């Protein structure tokens, strides 16, 4: 079952400005970061209350970690996906598949949360995430 909106994901070419804006201007806190193999943070989770977040990735570092292309970022093209926190991820994915919705295999993300992916009819990516006891969203 869908529990709530978990996060919105964006990419940026200037993490310093993003961090300054969300932390120093808006007063949000960084809950945790995702780091590459060299230990450099390339993903930041900004707490929005409870377990809801804004997630920002340096696009070139994210491409190095996960693959993909580095593209020109124009206004309005930084949004990448939204994430719904769910409970009973296995059952929920099974129900979606039975309704004809293509669902990715369930995997464990860098944040130690279980995840699967779907898309809406317009092709907008939707991450389905189930938190567990070691999820960084809960442990920081």
């Amino acid at each position: 079952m869908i529990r709530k909106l978990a996060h919105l994901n964006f990419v940026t070419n200037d993490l310093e400005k993003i961090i300054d804006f969300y932390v120093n201007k808006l007063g949000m806190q960084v809950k945790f970061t995702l780091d590459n193999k060299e230990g450099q943070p390339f993903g930041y989770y900004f707490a929005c209350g409870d377990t809801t977040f804004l997630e920002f990735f340096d696009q070139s570092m994210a491409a190095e970690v996960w693959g993909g292309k580095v593209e020109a970022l124009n206004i309005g093209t930084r949004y990448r996906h939204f994430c719904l926190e769910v409970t009973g991820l296995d059952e929920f994915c099974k129900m979606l598949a039975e309704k004809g919705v293509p669902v990715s295999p369930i995997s464990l993300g860098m944040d130690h949360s279980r995840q699967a992916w779907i898309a809406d009819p317009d092709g907008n990516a939707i991450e389905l995430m189930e938190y567990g006891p070691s999820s960084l969203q809960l442990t920081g």
Side-chain angles (χ1 to χ4, degrees):
M1 296 186 69
I2 295 173
R3 192 164 170 263
K4 66 176 161 182
L5 180 68
H7 66 255
L8 295 173
N9 172 263
F10 300 87
V11 293
T12 183
N13 289 331
D14 196 339
L15 274 175
E16 287 184 27
K17 284 185 180 177
I18 291 295
I19 295 164
D20 178 63
F21 178 78
Y22 285 96
V23 173
N24 298 325
K25 308 273 189 316
L26 295 185
M28 297 172 79
Q29 293 181 330
V30 175
K31 176 76 172 187
F32 64 91
T33 63
L34 297 178
D35 303 339
N36 64 15
K37 291 178 185 174
E38 292 78 34
Q40 299 169 307
F42 72 98
Y44 284 77
Y45 267 65
F46 297 93
C48 295
D50 195 19
T51 56
T52 302
F53 303 92
L54 294 180
E55 176 186 61
F56 280 86
F57 288 105
D58 176 275
Q59 83 155 328
S60 62
M61 291 175 77
E64 289 174 16
V65 172
W66 292 310
K69 297 186 289 184
V70 174
E71 301 179 46
L73 294 180
N74 301 310
I75 291 175
T77 64
R78 290 161 173 86
Y79 166 81
R80 291 296 189 248
H81 70 266
F82 70 88
C83 177
L84 296 172
E85 181 187 345
V86 301
T87 57
L89 182 61
D90 297 280
E91 297 82 12
F92 191 68
C93 289
K94 181 180 176 189
M95 183 264 310
L96 289 172
E98 289 170 354
K99 292 183 176 185
V101 177
V103 182
S104 76
I106 295 172
S107 63
L108 188 66
M110 288 180 74
D111 55 7
H112 310 291
S113 299
R114 297 177 71 229
Q115 62 185 20
W117 293 83
I118 61 174
D120 71 13
D122 285 340
N124 294 307
I126 302 169
E127 182 179 7
L128 305 172
M129 180 175 285
E130 182 175 49
Y131 296 147
S134 61
S135 294
L136 294 177
Q137 290 85 344
L138 303 179
T139 66

